[in-house]
Amino acid sequence: SQQGEEDPQALSIQEGENATMNCSYKTSINNLQWYRQNSGRGLVHLILIRSNEREKHSGRLRVTLDTSKKSSSLLITASRAADTASYFCATAGSNDYKLSFGAGTTVTVRA
Amino acid sequence: NAGVTQTPKFQVLKTGQSMTLQCAQDMNHNSMYWYRQDPGMGLRLIYYSASEGTTDKGEVPNGYNVSRLNKREFSLRLESAAPSQTSVYFCASSETGHSYEQYFGPGTRLTVT
């Protein structure tokens, strides 16, 4: 069964606005990763945050992790049309390095 | 560096036919994976191979078999295709262990009629 669940399922924003999506999971993790999938393409890794980290940045991306609430958020700042994609969170368990993916958030950035 | 390559890109099968999806990576990764992606769902793991010579079942292995031919190649076989196997199939590879990202191929879009 899928470990992560993203919220919202879909998000539409204007270019230049920020986009925030959330991921909740059920069991303890070693790390949580975010991936992007452009339409018709494979997934591309964006960022990894370990269970002992609370916040991580990469360019316009900011990821937070709250292990007490078993949740994570991905913030994309100053969005661009090229950010239009589906975003997936994936968790790696404490005893198992396989990834379990959520159903994803579809982000549409309007020009 | 091609990364992860998959063949074919598209395939249409009739119920009961068999086929093999091919995957190869040139990053010298130990671990390889096969996923399926259905509309509105995330990726579900079919099989994985932690290292050359080993394979293990994932979340949805029924109806599939795999072969880790060598360190570079990991194939997925459908022995008797069913309409429920209509999906997009992704191969991925990574270093083995925690805290490693996975690299994905472009996918194979399979339709079973």
Side-chain angles (χ1 to χ4, degrees):
Chain A
S1 60
Q2 290 171 314
Q3 160 85 305
E5 290 185 9
E6 286 94 339
D7 170 60
Q9 288 186 331
L11 184 58
S12 180
I13 56 173
Q14 202 73 30
E15 207 165 22
E17 293 181 337
N18 296 342
T20 300
M21 60 210 85
N22 304 296
C23 170
S24 60
Y25 57 91
K26 299 186 179 94
T27 60
S28 63
I29 61 171
N30 175 279
N31 67 77
L32 186 145
Q33 304 179 28
W34 286 91
Y35 288 79
R36 184 187 74 232
Q37 183 181 35
N38 291 95
S39 181
R41 310 290 290 271
L43 277 71
V44 174
H45 182 263
L46 294 176
I47 197 164
L48 180 152
I49 186 165
R50 293 180 174 78
S51 59
N52 61 354
E53 297 175 313
R54 290 297 165 257
E55 188 170 312
K56 207 160 180 183
H57 295 254
S58 176
R60 294 184 295 111
L61 305 180
R62 172 178 166 252
V63 169
T64 62
L65 179 64
D66 186 336
T67 53
S68 67
K69 294 181 179 176
K70 292 188 170 58
S71 68
S72 173
S73 68
L74 171 67
L75 168 68
I76 305 172
T77 60
S79 62
R80 305 166 181 167
D83 295 326
T84 293
S86 292
Y87 293 82
F88 296 88
C89 69
T91 54
S94 298
N95 300 314
D96 185 357
Y97 62 86
K98 301 191 301 295
L99 293 180
S100 180
F101 285 83
T105 293
T106 299
V107 175
T108 303
V109 181
R110 306 186 307 273
Chain B
N1 249 7
V4 179
T5 57
Q6 292 183 236
T7 55
K9 286 188 166 45
F10 300 94
Q11 185 71 48
V12 178
L13 291 178
K14 292 189 185 330
T15 297
Q17 288 184 320
S18 62
M19 79 162 295
T20 299
L21 282 64
Q22 307 285 355
C23 173
Q25 51 94 7
D26 62 2
M27 295 172 282
N28 203 36
H29 286 158
N30 284 315
S31 297
M32 297 186 73
Y33 313 82
W34 275 106
Y35 294 92
R36 61 178 287 173
Q37 183 177 34
D38 300 297
M41 301 185 73
L43 275 67
R44 291 184 291 168
L45 184 64
I46 305 172
Y47 270 94
Y48 67 102
S49 171
S51 60
E52 188 179 352
T54 69
T55 60
D56 285 289
K57 294 178 181 178
E59 185 185 347
V60 287
N62 290 345
Y64 306 95
N65 284 301
V66 290
S67 295
R68 184 74 183 265
L69 304 167
N70 47 55
K71 192 171 186 179
R72 289 188 63 247
E73 298 172 288
F74 189 36
S75 63
L76 178 72
R77 182 159 178 84
L78 287 70
E79 289 291 351
S80 179
S84 61
Q85 294 178 304
T86 293
S87 189
V88 182
Y89 292 85
F90 289 99
C91 177
S93 71
S94 74
E95 297 290 355
T96 298
H98 284 115
S99 302
Y100 290 113
E101 65 187 270
Q102 292 188 10
Y103 293 80
F104 284 80
T108 294
R109 190 172 293 273
L110 175 68
T111 301
V112 183
T113 61

